[in-house]
Structure formats: structure tokens, C-alpha cells
Amino acid sequence: MRKLLLFSLVLLTGVVFAGRLFYLQIYDTSFQKLSENNAINIIYDYPPRGYIFDRNGKLLVSNQPSYDVMVVPRNVKPLDTLEFCDILRITKEDFKSILKKATIYSPRLPSVVIPQLTKEEYAYLSEKMHKYEGFYIQKRSLRDYQVDHSANVLGYIAEVNNRIIEKNPYYQMGDLIGMQGVESQYEEVLRGIKGVKYIQKDRFNRDIGPYKDGIFDTLPERGKDITLTIDAVLQEYGEALMVNKRGGIVAIEPATGEILTLVTAPNYDPSLLVGRERSRNFTKLYYDTIAKPLFDRGLQGEYPPGSPFKTLTALIGLQEGVIDTKETISCHGGYIYGRGRKLGCHHHYSPLAMVAGIANSCNAYFCTVYRRAIEKYPSPQEGIDNWHDHLASFGLDQFMGYDLPSGRPGYIPDAKYYNRSYNYPTYKWYATATISNAIGQGEVSLTPMQMANFAATIANRGWYYKPHVIKNIGGVDTIPSVYTEKYHTTIEPRFFEPVVEGMFDVYNKGTASHIQIPGIEICGKTGTAENFIRVNGKRMQLTDHSIFVAFAPKDDPKIAIAVFVENGYWGSRWAGRIAGLMIEKYIKGEITRTDMENFVLNGSLEAEYAKPYSGEPFKINQ
């Protein structure tokens, strides 16, 4: 019995070992792959990225050659470290740190030692690389910007990090990837597909030719060119107008939703983020927490929209049947509500009907319309939710889905918000508690992109396409279907005409009559929004923001625009002038109102932006 037990144990052990040996030698190929990896050198061939053009075929971004010093740690042989560091212009400590980091990443895969050599550095170094085994030079292409504007639209390319590599195995250490703007959004289109060559090595680590005669090698595929909807001339002009100012300009072609201009100010020269100085320059831009040049105010800036929002209040009032175009409302210097409280208004004649109410931007008129629209329903909760839903149909209170990777949704409050704010769950609040919504103040906030889009929607009399910057890819005009689908608002088309007339009269005899553009019928709306900041923990009112939305021409609109200038006093002073100049530049191709152009180009608001730090007083409601 004992002999049988011993024999069984020996037999079982033999079977286990035999089975494991069979698995390792026949079934499991991991050791074979490892052996092949030791004998095969993988070389990537990087294709040039696709070019970027503006809507008129102007080249915005091309490529320039770049050379990276790479290392495969397991192939490194003893070398004259001091001489090599001197050639690379790095310290011995830096060299050790780079090599250690590369080894941790992978002893067998290449890592970057020194990125983005110039042509001169490459020519000098390439003659000496044969002395340093394990190191080689990898050719890549960097971006070559043909313009010094549109950095926020174009984005930039940078080296991938470990997080990106773990998420997408296509990328290896040292690869470049699009960051921000269209470089990020259309990365897979622009980057192309890199080629791969498998080079076999002998036992002395010498190249002996392509592995298996190159049957696994692939050729690189060049990235596709893309054409943007941006008008480079208009974009450059918009950035010039916004020098020494902060804010954003967004212009859209109403008939297509194509973004003509997306200006943020201040901006920066995109070439700053190219080459070996990219990291240093990016750090400077990133830590400029005052001007915030990396903050795209056109997409990310959430501001009170001010008086342009009154056009939406009018449309909701007409749709809800609480006002018509003929009824007049009196204004006695503002709107009085609840125990003598008053929301003030500037001087104008009274009483006013809707067209004149828009042209003269009467607060009393629109507060009345708003209050009626809310109080039409059994409870303010139902009224405010209905109001919210109308506004959401214009693309507000949501990220609009445009094809740029940054953006904010703005905010349109609903009943849940006010229930929390006013003693939830007893619901003890009324329309008067939210009356400032009527004039684009209070809790309402929009981005300049959303303002431009609702201007385009009014220009179209009730519909819009999602704003986008892609016009074609690889010369083919087919773009994602989400940008060719029409979105309709909850407002009937017939109600837009009186609002358009009111916006037309803003220029003819209203708050923008002194900044008309000869020969162009412009419909617009000025806006002045209160501006607050916290300084040393105290809430302080700054100089008001200047806002303007417009479209032109009146009956066949080619452009809709929103301009927001921080601390710009009142609507027509800065934003109105800039909007008019941009419209004239786009439609006529030249400027006739040189008086307005000189005022804007030579004007500066830097002194206003310094006031929170200098202690100088602000000018309020002037």
C-alpha cells in the first residue's frame, strides 16, 4: 500500500511537470515573443500631420522638421558621459535622471532624451551618434504656424504622458498629440498613422536586415488636411480690436452654424508653444492668473448677458400670450415691485410698446412681461420651469456640442434652484424674487458663444445649426451630421419679426444710433451688465461689462455676432463699436467708420483691470 502511494505521488508529480512543460513550450508563446523582442528592433516612421486651412483656403498651420534624441535603455553601452552631456548641453545629473526615468518606463522601448533639436543641432549631433550605442535620432514634424493669432482655436501639440499612453496604446513615450482646440478635437484625422519597421539583430546586437523580409513592415499614412470655418482675416482683425482689453468675440454664419470668428482676449502667439521652449512658455502662460491668456473667454467665460437677454424675454412673452406688440407699458424711471423696491431704468420716453421697448432697452417693460409670463401659471415653480424650457430650446443652460474640446454651459435657473434658495421645501417665493432674470441679471449667465448663437437664432427667425469650426476633412465637404441637423425653438416663427424690428431700431433710433454702419442694415442690442468681485473677502462692484449682440443684413443675414468686453462701461461704448466694425469688415471687406476703428484700436482698459489691485475707484452705471 505504501509502495502504491509513493508510486502514485511520483506519477502525479511527473504528469504535472510534463503538463506545465507542454504549456510553456507549445501553447504559451510569451517566451517566444520575449525572445523575438530581444532580437528585433522596432523603428517607427512618423507621418507629417495634416495641414490646417481657413474657410478661404489660407494656410494656417503647416509642419517643420524636428529631431528627438531617443534611448533604448537595454541597448546602452558604457560611454563617455561627460562628453555626451556636453554635446547634448545637459548636466550629468540630468542625464542620469533621464536614463533612470526611461528605464522605469521600459528597458526595451524607446524614450526621449532630448526633444525637438534644431536643424543645426541635428547636423552636429548626427555625426557623433555612432559613438553612443543605445541612442539614436528620431525624426518627427512639429507645427509651423503661418499666423500669430487663433491660438485658442488651433490648440497645440505636446508630448504624451503616462495617462494618455495607458488609455490609448497607439501612443508611445515621446509621441506627440494634439492638445486643446482643433489639434485635440481632430487628432485622429490630423495625426495620420505611423509606419513600423522591424529590424532583426544578431547576437552582437548588430542590424542584419528587415525581420522576415519586411512582411510585417507598414508605411506611414500622412494626416489629412482640414479646412476650418474660421475667416483668418476677420479673426486677425478681431484680435487686433481686443488688444489691451479682456473678453470675447464670437461670430457665426446663421445659415450654416459655421463659426467665422472665435476671439478671446488676451490671447497669445501659437508659435510660443512650439520647440524646446514650449514647456517654459506654457508655464508662464499658465501661471498668469491675472490676464489668464489660456482661458478662452468666448467658450468658457460665463457672464450675465444683460440687456440682449431682453429679446428672449420678449419672445417668451409673445409665445405665452401675456403681451402683444401694440400694448404700451409706462416707465417711471424703473420697475417698482414689492414694498417700494425699484429696479432702475435710464431716461427715455414713456409709455412704450414692444419695438420701442427693445430699441430703448426699457427695464420696466421687460420686467412686466417677465412677471406676467411667470404668474400665468398656478405656481411660480411651474412658471419658472416653463420659462427655463423656452430658453433651453435656444441652446442655453447646456453645453451646445460645438466641436471644440473646451466650454461651459452657462446657467438658466429653474424651480429646483429657487426652492433650495428660498426656504425649501415650503416654496415661499414669488415672481418678484426672480425679477432681475427679465433683464439678463440675477442668476442668469451665458457664454459669448451662447449669446452669438441666440443672435443667429433670432436672425433665422427661430432655428439654428449647432456652431462648429470644421468645414471639410481631406477636401471632402461631408461633416458630422450633428452639424447639419436643424434645431427649432419653442417660439413660433411669426413672433420673431417684431423682435427683429426692435433690434433694427436699436441702430436707427435707439441705444446704438450713434454707431451705425453706412450701407448695412444691422439689427442689434446693447447691454450693460453689473460686475462684482471679491477683494479681501468683501464683495465689491467693479465697472460694468460692455455687451453687444447683432446680426446683419436684416433680411438676409450673413453674420451674427456677440461681443463681450469686461469692465467696458456700457454696451455701445466698446462692444457695440467692435461689433459694428467686425460686421463691416466681413460684409464689405473694408472699414468706412475709421473714427470708430481709431477709438477701439488706440483704446485700452488696462487701467480698469488694475483697479482691484491699485485701490482706484470704479465707475458704476456710467
Side-chain angles (χ1 to χ4, degrees):
M1 187 67 181
R2 290 180 181 178
K3 290 182 180 181
L4 182 61
L5 179 60
L6 181 60
F7 176 76
S8 299
L9 289 174
V10 172
L11 181 63
L12 180 60
T13 303
V15 170
V16 170
F17 272 99
R20 181 61 177 165
L21 185 62
F22 175 83
Y23 173 80
L24 292 175
Q25 291 187 343
I26 305 300
Y27 185 78
D28 182 20
T29 62
S30 61
F31 285 94
Q32 178 188 352
K33 292 179 180 178
L34 182 59
S35 177
E36 288 179 352
N37 285 338
N38 284 328
I40 296 172
N41 186 26
I42 301 175
I43 299 177
Y44 293 103
D45 190 359
Y46 291 88
R49 287 178 77 86
Y51 287 4
I52 301 176
F53 299 87
D54 90 327
R55 68 186 294 111
N56 299 310
K58 177 180 174 60
L59 180 62
L60 303 177
V61 188
S62 59
N63 298 312
Q64 57 181 310
S66 171
Y67 308 90
D68 295 348
V69 178
M70 309 292 293
V71 63
V72 179
R74 72 183 176 95
N75 295 338
V76 174
K77 305 296 183 184
L79 72 154
D80 187 336
T81 306
L82 291 177
E83 180 189 51
F84 194 47
C85 290
D86 185 58
I87 293 173
L88 297 180
R89 298 178 184 176
I90 60 176
T91 66
K92 186 176 180 180
E93 289 71 24
D94 287 339
F95 176 76
K96 289 180 178 179
S97 175
I98 292 169
L99 198 57
K100 181 180 179 181
K101 181 179 178 182
T103 304
I104 292 172
Y105 166 65
S106 173
R108 296 181 176 83
L109 295 177
S111 293
V112 176
V113 179
I114 298 294
Q116 302 170 12
L117 299 176
T118 64
K119 290 181 182 179
E120 294 75 16
E121 291 172 326
Y122 165 71
Y124 175 74
L125 188 58
S126 60
E127 298 178 358
K128 302 179 180 296
M129 287 302 292
H130 67 278
K131 297 168 59 177
Y132 309 107
E133 289 192 46
F135 297 88
Y136 67 96
I137 296 178
Q138 174 73 63
K139 183 179 179 180
R140 305 181 194 272
S141 62
L142 292 182
R143 286 319 219 176
D144 188 8
Y145 293 98
Q146 307 299 308
V147 295
D148 60 2
H149 56 76
S150 305
N152 61 310
V153 178
L154 300 173
Y156 59 93
I157 61 174
E159 188 176 339
V160 296
N161 54 35
N162 289 330
R163 179 180 57 82
I164 295 173
I165 294 171
E166 291 172 1
K167 185 177 180 181
N168 190 337
Y170 173 86
Y171 297 99
Q172 304 290 332
M173 187 65 74
D175 284 3
L176 301 174
I177 189 172
M179 298 282 191
Q180 297 185 354
V182 297
E183 292 280 17
S184 174
Q185 186 71 23
Y186 294 100
E187 162 68 11
E188 293 187 8
V189 172
L190 290 167
R191 78 183 181 196
I193 301 175
K194 58 189 174 187
V196 183
K197 292 181 181 179
Y198 298 91
I199 306 299
Q200 194 164 5
K201 291 179 174 290
D202 62 15
R203 62 194 182 91
F204 299 107
N205 204 35
R206 295 175 300 193
D207 292 350
I208 57 175
Y211 175 65
K212 292 190 177 180
D213 296 323
I215 61 173
F216 297 114
D217 294 354
T218 60
L219 293 174
E221 291 184 23
R222 186 185 184 280
K224 292 181 181 179
D225 298 339
I226 64 173
T227 298
L228 304 182
T229 63
I230 296 293
D231 185 312
V233 173
L234 191 65
Q235 179 80 14
E236 183 177 25
Y237 187 59
E239 291 198 15
L241 295 175
M242 290 295 289
V243 169
N244 294 321
K245 306 165 193 72
R246 297 178 190 169
I249 305 173
V250 181
I252 297 173
E253 184 178 67
T256 62
E258 294 179 353
I259 300 172
L260 303 172
T261 295
L262 180 57
V263 173
T264 182
N267 210 336
Y268 60 92
D269 186 337
S271 63
L272 289 174
L273 299 185
V274 177
R276 294 177 68 174
E277 295 298 312
R278 189 203 72 82
S279 181
R280 182 180 300 175
N281 291 334
F282 182 85
T283 299
K284 289 180 181 178
L285 294 170
Y286 182 82
Y287 284 105
D288 184 353
T289 56
I290 297 177
K292 299 180 180 179
L294 295 176
F295 180 67
D296 192 331
R297 287 167 165 85
L299 300 178
Q300 297 172 301
E302 295 174 299
Y303 306 99
S307 292
F309 196 78
K310 294 173 182 175
T311 58
L312 302 179
T313 300
L315 289 168
I316 293 172
L318 291 170
Q319 181 66 39
E320 291 297 315
V322 297
I323 193 76
D324 60 35
T325 58
K326 296 180 180 179
E327 181 184 356
T328 60
I329 294 174
S330 296
C331 177
H332 303 289
Y335 181 73
I336 299 173
Y337 65 100
R339 299 180 180 178
R341 288 181 292 178
K342 185 175 184 180
L343 197 159
C345 189
H346 59 275
H347 178 71
H348 57 76
Y349 73 89
S350 178
L352 297 166
M354 179 169 287
V355 172
I358 294 172
N360 291 276
S361 199
C362 176
N363 285 346
Y365 182 92
F366 292 100
C367 286
T368 300
V369 173
Y370 172 82
R371 185 171 179 177
R372 289 179 182 177
I374 303 301
E375 293 180 346
K376 171 185 175 181
Y377 292 86
S379 71
Q381 284 78 17
E382 293 174 76
I384 205 76
D385 279 342
N386 180 71
W387 170 82
H388 173 278
D389 293 344
H390 280 308
L391 295 171
S393 73
F394 285 81
L396 310 184
D397 197 34
Q398 58 190 284
F399 180 70
M400 297 182 63
Y402 41 77
D403 53 342
L404 286 167
S406 63
R408 298 289 301 165
Y411 190 67
I412 303 295
D414 56 12
K416 289 182 179 178
Y417 172 84
Y418 289 114
N419 287 343
R420 291 193 303 267
S421 301
Y422 293 98
N423 198 23
Y424 179 87
T426 54
Y427 306 153
K428 290 184 178 179
W429 57 274
Y430 304 96
T432 52
T434 66
I435 199 68
S436 55
N437 289 339
I439 60 172
Q441 294 281 176
E443 290 74 35
V444 174
S445 68
L446 303 180
T447 64
M449 172 62 76
Q450 291 173 318
M451 295 183 212
N453 191 65
F454 85 62
T457 306
I458 295 174
N460 290 332
R461 278 63 169 178
W463 58 268
Y464 66 92
Y465 290 111
K466 284 191 174 184
H468 54 280
V469 295
I470 192 68
K471 194 167 180 68
N472 70 57
I473 298 173
V476 180
D477 288 334
T478 302
I479 62 173
S481 59
V482 67
Y483 304 124
T484 58
E485 179 183 350
K486 246 182 200 182
Y487 292 83
H488 294 270
T489 70
T490 55
I491 309 299
E492 295 176 44
R494 63 192 177 97
F495 292 131
F496 283 85
E497 216 52 56
V499 173
V500 170
E501 288 299 326
M503 295 177 71
F504 183 57
D505 278 357
V506 167
Y507 265 97
N508 288 334
K509 47 192 175 184
T511 53
S513 58
H514 61 295
I515 55 173
Q516 295 182 44
I517 303 297
I520 303 178
E521 290 188 331
I522 302 178
C523 300
K525 184 70 192 77
T526 55
T528 304
E530 291 183 337
N531 177 23
F532 295 91
I533 192 175
R534 286 196 173 274
V535 178
N536 297 325
K538 294 183 179 180
R539 190 169 186 261
M540 178 183 297
Q541 186 170 5
L542 280 63
T543 304
D544 294 339
H545 295 313
S546 176
I547 313 167
F548 203 89
V549 302
F551 62 86
K554 175 187 174 186
D555 295 320
D556 185 20
K558 305 297 184 187
I559 182 173
I561 192 168
V563 181
F564 197 102
V565 181
E566 296 179 8
N567 301 38
Y569 294 80
W570 60 89
S572 62
R573 176 164 178 169
W574 291 104
R577 285 183 168 95
I578 291 171
L581 291 168
M582 292 286 285
I583 289 171
E584 185 173 33
K585 184 75 170 178
Y586 184 69
I587 292 179
K588 292 183 178 180
E590 60 181 4
I591 298 299
T592 59
R593 286 297 305 267
T594 54
D595 57 322
M596 290 199 327
E597 184 180 55
N598 290 333
F599 177 87
V600 175
L601 289 176
N602 297 322
S604 173
L605 287 169
E606 291 297 334
E608 286 294 329
Y609 305 135
K611 285 181 178 179
Y613 313 99
S614 66
E616 291 185 45
F618 298 96
K619 295 182 178 180
I620 312 300
N621 297 322
Q622 294 187 19

